[in-house]
Structures are given as structure tokens and as C-alpha cells.
Amino acid sequence: GINAEYMGNQFTEIFATLAASNKATLALKQEKRRLKQRCETDLTSVHAAIAKCDAADVLALKEFAEYRDNSNNAIAENDAQQTQLWTDMVKNKYTTLLQDIIATLRQKGTERHQLMNERIARVDKEEMRKVEYQQFLEVVAHHKKALELTIENCDLAVKCIGIFEQIMNSVCMAIGLWRDIVRDELYNLRISVHKEHLGYFRELYLCIGNLLYKKEKRIEEIDKQLRREHIQLEFCIETFDASAKNHSDMKKELVALRAETEEEIEMLKAKAEAALEEFLESEEALKEEGLDFVHPAVEFQEIAMNQRDKIVSYKAQFHKEEDVRIAAEREEIRRQVAISPSKSLRLHATPYSPVATHVANSPKRQLEYSTID
């Protein structure tokens, strides 16, 4: 069967496993929360970097637009000036003025060349900046997506760990509840078994006690019968009666019967002792639970005392009547013996004489012979 102590040990191991599981899940949840916090910090930094780059991009676009407008204006102005110089050079016929116009044209051509070179360099720089900005956005988007996915996975992991903790706690609570139910059932079953054992033990012990009482009374009856047979045998020997052998055989049979009865008494006592030892566990368990009950041994003693009290009262009443009859019979015997001692002995003192038999059966006479024996 299931032992309550064994169940307690098993549930101790289960709750120890639950405690270890809760400790491990708590560590995992803390780890995931720390990872989520780092990812959120990195994601905040990424958002700040994106915002900073976006602001720089807007500013760069604005500056490039201003530069482009200024460059376009400068180039247009240079073109207009060169066109005017060419027009003036065609109209002017003086060599000195032509030389000045050519020198100015050469200067404006150099300025245009510088403006175009600067424009090309600035456009290349702007295009490079846009490429770098797009590359930055792609890299940042990849990291941002990875960080957001990690944060989502951390939240999901914490949620799953929490569900696992709930499952473990629910299972252990269910097991604990089942343990309590089984323990209560075992307790009720144990108490009912002890009560049932008490009922069986009471029935057995009272039965054994009753048999012992009867066997002991049987021993007393055999002893009385032995004394009677002894008295009859003595009478037969004194009167040379042929029935002496019958009384002797009867005495031997009674002795054997007494020995057999004593063996039965010892066997019953042994059974009673064994039953008492077996009942010790149930007795202690019932006392621990505070259940009031009368021990069968005490109950049997009370029954035996009541029976003895009744027998003593019956004997006391019987002895009062018997004393009167015995005194009258003794007086009659003395009177007859005084008339004819030898004849009275043969007629009235034989084993089969009613007077002798009654005297032998009388309690006081038996007491005298038991004292002699």
C-alpha cells in the first residue's frame, strides 16, 4: 500500500524540483529582460542616429540647393559677361581695346572653368554623401529590424517562461491537492481499519475470555469431580467394594481431561496474548486520534467481575439453605452410628448411599476433602 511517509518524501522531491525550476525560470526571465533592456537602449541610440543623419541630410540638401542656385547664377552671369565681351569685340575696331577684351574673355573663361570644376566636385561630393546616407540607412534598418525582432523574442520568451511557471505551479498544486486527498483518504481508511480491528479484537478477546472462563470453571468442576471420585474411591477401599476400580479409572480419565483442559487454557491464553500484541498498534493509533473506547480486556474484566458477583451471591444464598440441611443430615448420621456403628456404616456410608453422596457433594464437605487432598 501507499505509505504516508513515502508520499511525503516523494512530494518533498517534487517541490524541491519545483523550487529549482522556478529559480531557473527566474534567471532566464531576468536574462531576457536584461537583453531586452540592452536592445531597447541600442534601438534608442539607432533612432537618435537616424534622426541626426536625417537632420544632417536635410541640412546638406538645403546647403547644396543654395550652392547650386548660387553656382547657376554665377555661371549664367559669366556667360552673359562673355557674350557681351564678344559683342563688344566685334563692334570695337581698336587694337588696344581688343586686347583688353580678349584678356577679359580669357579671365572670364578661367573663372567659368573654375566654377565648373567646383560645381563638378561639389556634385560628386553630394552624390557620394547621398550614397553613404543610403548605405547608412540600409545598415541602420537592418540593425533596427534585428533589435526589434530581438525585443519581440525577449517578450515572447518571458511570456512563455511565465506560462511554463504557471503550468509547473498548477501541476504541483494539483499534485499537492491530490496528495492531501490521498492523505485524508489514507487517514480515514487507517482509522476505519483500526476501528474494524477494534471490533474484531473485542469479539475475539471476549470470545477467548468467555472460553477461558468456561474452561477454568470446567477445571473447577473437574477438581470437584476428582475430589468426589477420590472420596468414593476411599469409601470403596474401606468397604472392599468392587466398584473401586471403576472409580479409579474415572479418576484417571478426569486427570487426563484436566490436563487436556489446561492445555486448551494455555493455548487460549497464548492466543489472547498474541491478539493483545497485534492490537497494540491500533490501540496507540486510536488513542493518538483521541477516540474514546473501552479496552476489551477491561470490558471482559468488568463482565467477569459481574458474573463472579452474581455467583458469589447465589452461593451465599445456597450455603445458607445448605448449612441447615447438612446439620440435619450430620445429626441423623450420628444417631444411626450411635445405634449400630458397623451396620450403619455398611448401609448408609457406602459410596452409593444418598446420604454419603449428598455429604460428599456438599460444599463444606468438599472443602474438608480438598483440605485433606
Side-chain angles (χ1 to χ4, degrees), residues 108-235:
K108 293 298 180 182
T110 302
E111 289 179 359
R112 180 181 175 83
H113 180 71
Q114 290 177 352
L115 288 172
M116 294 304 295
N117 287 336
E118 185 181 356
R119 177 72 174 267
I120 292 170
R122 191 63 182 268
V123 169
D124 289 340
K125 183 178 179 181
E126 179 65 18
E127 292 298 326
M128 183 63 68
R129 187 194 66 79
K130 288 181 179 180
V131 171
E132 290 177 352
Y133 176 67
Q134 291 299 324
Q135 290 178 349
F136 170 78
L137 290 178
E138 291 176 0
V139 173
V140 167
H142 175 73
H143 283 285
K144 180 181 177 182
K145 184 178 180 181
L147 289 171
E148 290 175 348
L149 183 60
T150 303
I151 291 173
E152 183 180 355
N153 289 337
C154 288
D155 291 335
L156 185 61
V158 170
K159 183 178 179 180
C160 292
I161 293 170
I163 293 173
F164 178 76
E165 284 181 339
Q166 291 179 0
I167 292 173
M168 287 293 294
N169 291 329
S170 298
V171 169
C172 287
M173 288 179 63
I175 293 174
L177 181 61
W178 176 78
R179 186 269 307 269
D180 294 337
I181 293 173
V182 172
R183 183 176 57 188
D184 293 340
E185 290 179 354
L186 287 175
Y187 169 78
N188 295 330
L189 179 62
R190 185 169 63 90
I191 295 301
S192 63
V193 168
H194 288 313
K195 288 182 178 179
E196 186 177 0
H197 188 193
L198 172 62
Y200 288 142
F201 172 70
R202 179 180 178 279
E203 183 179 354
L204 175 64
Y205 196 82
L206 292 180
C207 180
I208 292 175
N210 190 25
L211 289 174
L212 278 173
Y213 180 79
K214 291 180 179 180
K215 294 293 181 181
E216 290 174 354
K217 296 301 291 182
R218 178 63 175 163
I219 288 289
E220 294 178 3
E221 294 295 330
I222 291 173
D223 289 340
K224 291 178 181 179
Q225 194 171 355
L226 276 172
R227 286 192 290 270
R228 286 197 297 268
E229 292 297 330
H230 178 74
I231 293 170
Q232 296 291 349
L233 181 60
E234 290 295 330
F235 275 117

Side-chain angles (χ1 to χ4, degrees), residues 332-345:
E332 179 65 21
I333 291 172
R334 290 194 189 96
R335 188 180 63 78
Q336 293 181 3
V337 169
I339 296 173
S340 178
S342 60
K343 184 178 180 181
S344 175
L345 184 61

Side-chain angles (χ1 to χ4, degrees), residues 309-322:
D309 290 341
K310 290 180 181 179
I311 291 174
V312 167
S313 3
Y314 292 155
K315 284 185 177 180
Q317 184 178 0
F318 175 74
H319 284 323
K320 291 179 181 179
E321 299 176 356
E322 194 66 20

